[in-house]
Amino acid sequence: DAGVIQSPRHEVTEMGQEVTLRCKPISGHDYLFWYRQTMMRGLELLIYFNNNVPIDDSGMPEDRFSAKMPNASFSTLKIQPSEPRDSAVYFCASSRGTGRQETQYFGPGTRLLVL
Amino acid sequence: GESVGLHLPTLSVQEGDNSIINCAYSNSASDYFIWYKQESGKGPQFIIDIRSNMDKRQGQRVTVLLNKTVKHLSLQIAATQPGDSAVYFCAENRPIHGSSNTGKLIFGQGTTLQVKP
């Protein structure tokens, strides 16, 4: 299995621009998570989906952030408009099943820099 | 909210020595912890987990100890190798929506392990 796939790996954009991050979970996994990692705040859960349905988005910072999962093999995290404080590494993770014991597998991340 | 993962930011060890990475948590109701390893430029990778009904669990070259009395857990790496150099996170798998069967990961700040040749 290829693991969780994220694209792009690096993104540099200017403040005010729209940014779209993409994720392909591991086949057969029905949970998908979006995390953000910064030096100041560490790894934070933004939102997660179960069977393509958003379950908990309480970690999404503000309305500029939105996430979708149109099918079981694809999810996007969009920031519009982007701001310099959004600069971070964004990780997507997926897990199988519904139990807490199911391991989350992380993708390589997208390093975002907003100028 | 309740915190997890209060520990030293950096640990430097000699190759071949044992490493001990510590983590403290504040919520006495926390019942499930996971250690992740994050190498430079990569996402976190699962190492080992432990539930509160255990005080010790062993994997390949790694051991996790849980002391619920003082709300502390540690990750021990035997015969540390250069490939062990990474940031190590302890994370709590916290129940959500009142369900004991569904959880989300609450990560600590991480400890950077540096292995000297």
Side-chain angles (χ1 to χ4, degrees):
Chain A
D1 197 315
V4 176
I5 299 173
Q6 291 187 247
S7 65
R9 292 296 310 276
H10 302 272
E11 178 81 25
V12 181
T13 190
E14 292 186 344
M15 182 174 65
Q17 296 297 307
E18 177 180 295
V19 175
T20 300
L21 312 180
R22 297 173 176 80
C23 175
K24 177 177 172 22
I26 294 172
S27 177
H29 284 191
D30 52 11
Y31 277 79
L32 183 140
F33 307 81
W34 282 101
Y35 290 86
R36 178 173 66 175
Q37 186 175 37
T38 61
M39 289 294 292
M40 290 297 294
R41 300 176 66 88
L43 265 162
E44 304 173 281
L45 176 66
L46 300 178
I47 185 172
Y48 81 95
F49 296 81
N50 178 25
N51 291 322
N52 314 335
V53 177
I55 303 299
D56 184 351
D57 65 354
S58 59
M60 296 285 263
E62 46 196 278
D63 292 345
R64 298 184 297 107
F65 286 69
S66 63
K68 295 182 180 179
M69 192 165 185
N71 57 64
S73 60
F74 183 66
S75 177
T76 60
L77 177 67
K78 186 175 294 186
I79 308 173
Q80 167 63 20
S82 58
E83 296 182 4
R85 60 194 169 117
D86 301 329
S87 298
V89 182
Y90 291 82
F91 289 102
C92 176
S94 69
S95 67
R96 179 182 55 194
T98 58
R100 288 174 65 202
Q101 71 276 10
E102 296 295 342
T103 300
Q104 291 187 27
Y105 294 87
F106 284 75
T110 294
R111 186 173 295 273
L112 173 66
L113 177 61
V114 183
L115 302 175
Chain B
E2 305 284 359
S3 61
V4 65
L6 308 172
H7 42 39
L8 292 175
T10 304
L11 175 66
S12 184
V13 299
Q14 202 71 38
E15 180 179 357
D17 288 351
N18 297 333
S19 302
I20 299 176
I21 302 171
N22 296 303
C23 179
Y25 60 97
S26 60
N27 185 1
S28 57
S30 299
D31 65 350
Y32 184 21
F33 299 92
I34 305 170
W35 282 96
Y36 277 86
K37 172 186 181 183
Q38 186 176 20
E39 296 174 276
S40 180
K42 297 183 179 180
Q45 178 185 10
F46 173 91
I47 301 174
I48 193 169
D49 59 0
I50 189 167
R51 291 183 177 273
S52 60
N53 60 351
M54 304 173 72
D55 53 19
K56 180 179 180 179
R57 193 165 187 213
Q58 289 184 295
Q60 187 177 11
R61 280 200 308 118
V62 295
T63 301
V64 57
L65 300 178
L66 176 62
N67 186 330
K68 295 178 285 294
T69 302
V70 296
K71 298 195 283 288
H72 177 272
L73 66 159
S74 65
L75 177 72
Q76 300 178 6
I77 305 173
T80 312
Q81 303 168 359
D84 296 326
S85 295
V87 179
Y88 290 81
F89 294 94
C90 67
E92 177 193 354
N93 189 318
R94 185 174 295 176
I96 53 177
H97 295 141
S99 167
S100 63
N101 200 39
T102 307
K104 65 179 182 181
L105 296 177
I106 308 298
F107 284 87
Q109 288 297 314
T111 293
T112 299
L113 177 64
Q114 300 172 337
V115 182
K116 296 177 289 186

